[in-house]
Amino acid sequence: MLKVFLFVLSCLMMTGVAFATPSSSDLAKIQEQLKEEKKAQTHLQQKAQDIATEVSAVKKQMVKAANQVQDNEETLSELEKNLAALEENKALLEKRLEDRETQIITLMSGLQKMAVYPPQAVFFAPQTPIENLRSSLILKSTQKPLQATTNKLKQELNKLATLQAAIKAQASQVKLVANRLENQRSNMEKLMQQKSILQSHFKFESIEAKKKAEELGKKAKNLEDLLAKLETEKQNKLKKMADAATKQKPILSVPTLPSVKGAFQKSLGSLPLPARGKIVQRYGDATLGGGNAKGLTMDTRPNAQVISPFDGTVLFAGEFKGYGNLIIIEHEDNYHSLLSGLNRIDCTVGQTVLTGEPVGIMSNQQTNKLYMEFRQNGKPVNPASWFASKI
């Protein structure tokens, strides 16, 4: 800045412009101002670095917390499934016991008649002697089956008691895991708030990026068009940043992830699924509309945690035609992951996300469907081989 000032000064002298000769004290003031300005810029850069470091630490905690939440979601789903099976077995056993009880009551009634009309008095019974004899023989023949039925009844009563104990223990385990999951979700919310506070330093830039993405979303005709527009916008932004780098002072900007060539390709077979649940539609499956699925759809439990499948930058986060809430994350090597069907989005446009970092939550409805696509150069690719879990 001092050199620029002196250069301007000399130019003015050559052009003959009249001016007051700066005193040594004026020059000293200018030098002091330049020092203060440089000091402020250094402080700003250090502040940006400190915030970025803290954000990174919180994000790593969130990845760990999200994994614990998903593990407990999976455990809880399995426990609930086992509990439902136990309840079903209990209902079947109770029905069987009810049937056996009816059989025993019928047999006991017959035996009571035998006690009233013993075999010796058969000829004095109200019925004809032949009918009474036949009844006597039938009742005698039921004594052994009755004993066997009684033994089975005892066994099934014991089995029922065991089932009831198992149900009680399973229900207790369900409650324990459900409470643990609730605590972990509460912890996740605190981490979300902490990250939000830290990233509020980048609020202006994030708002501008979100506003631009929403505008592009309204103009885009379809998903392919949206991806193309987002790519063009990214290239324009990179050019502006490069031009501004030589002209402007350093400012706080959203930290970006380091670029690693081929990183996404190398992750083949190791990525986590975006949520825990059952795959109900795979890439290439026939759809109701008559076409073929371009991604995979999974059923999730209520309020399921959704994570980023890989490191990347959020290009889009909001509602989009026919997709509901949509998140588009850009990865390396011109790959994108798309997640839709979420009830709540927990990431912002321009934000970087780590593999496993929470990006949203499914609804609290019993039926939830999360849709996911992988695209390379804007074209859908089969995501199955990328995940560690077999699909």
Side-chain angles (χ1 to χ4, degrees), residues 66 69-70 73 188 192 273-276 298 300-301 303-309 327 329 339-344 346-347 356-363 370-372:
V69 167
Q70 288 191 327
E73 284 176 349
M188 178 65 76
M192 286 282 184
L273 282 166
R276 304 291 173 88
M298 59 194 310
T300 74
R301 64 178 296 107
N303 301 310
Q305 179 70 67
V306 182
I307 61 172
S308 169
I327 299 173
I329 304 171
L339 301 165
S340 73
L342 301 90
N343 180 60
R344 190 184 84 192
D346 292 327
C347 57
E357 184 173 342
V359 293
I361 298 288
M362 300 302 287
S363 79
L370 176 67
Y371 178 73
M372 198 215 74

Side-chain angles (χ1 to χ4, degrees), residues 207-331:
I207 290 173
E208 287 298 303
K210 184 176 187 294
K211 185 179 176 182
K212 188 64 180 177
E214 286 174 349
E215 289 175 1
L216 294 175
K218 290 175 182 177
K219 293 176 182 178
K221 298 174 184 176
N222 51 42
L223 200 51
E224 287 78 7
D225 190 28
L226 175 60
L227 284 168
K229 290 182 185 299
L230 289 171
E231 178 61 25
T232 301
E233 175 63 20
K234 186 189 81 170
Q235 294 302 328
N236 290 338
K237 185 178 179 182
L238 288 173
K239 186 177 183 302
K240 286 180 182 178
M241 288 174 65
D243 293 341
T246 56
K247 301 175 184 178
Q248 296 181 353
K249 304 173 186 178
I251 59 171
L252 281 174
S253 81
V254 179
T256 57
L257 294 171
S259 178
V260 181
K261 191 69 177 175
F264 193 79
Q265 282 283 2
K266 290 175 183 175
S267 68
L268 203 69
S270 65
L271 300 185
L273 282 166
R276 304 291 173 88
K278 181 183 178 182
I279 306 295
V280 293
Q281 189 175 63
R282 291 167 175 75
Y283 179 87
D285 286 354
T287 62
L288 293 175
N292 297 101
K294 296 177 181 178
L296 60 85
T297 302
M298 59 194 310
D299 281 343
T300 74
R301 64 178 296 107
N303 301 310
Q305 179 70 67
V306 182
I307 61 172
S308 169
F310 193 67
D311 297 350
T313 303
V314 179
L315 292 187
F316 189 88
E319 288 191 29
F320 185 67
K321 305 174 179 72
Y323 285 84
N325 279 333
L326 172 69
I327 299 173
I328 299 177
I329 304 171
E330 181 184 38
H331 310 295

Side-chain angles (χ1 to χ4, degrees), residues 12-31:
L12 289 172
M13 290 176 66
M14 286 189 290
T15 55
V17 177
F19 58 88
T21 304
S23 64
S24 58
S25 62
D26 289 334
L27 289 174
K29 284 180 181 179
I30 292 171
Q31 287 179 329

Side-chain angles (χ1 to χ4, degrees), residues 269-273 276 384 386-391:
S270 65
L271 300 185
L273 282 166
R276 304 291 173 88
W386 259 274
F387 297 108
S389 302
K390 189 176 180 181
I391 296 177

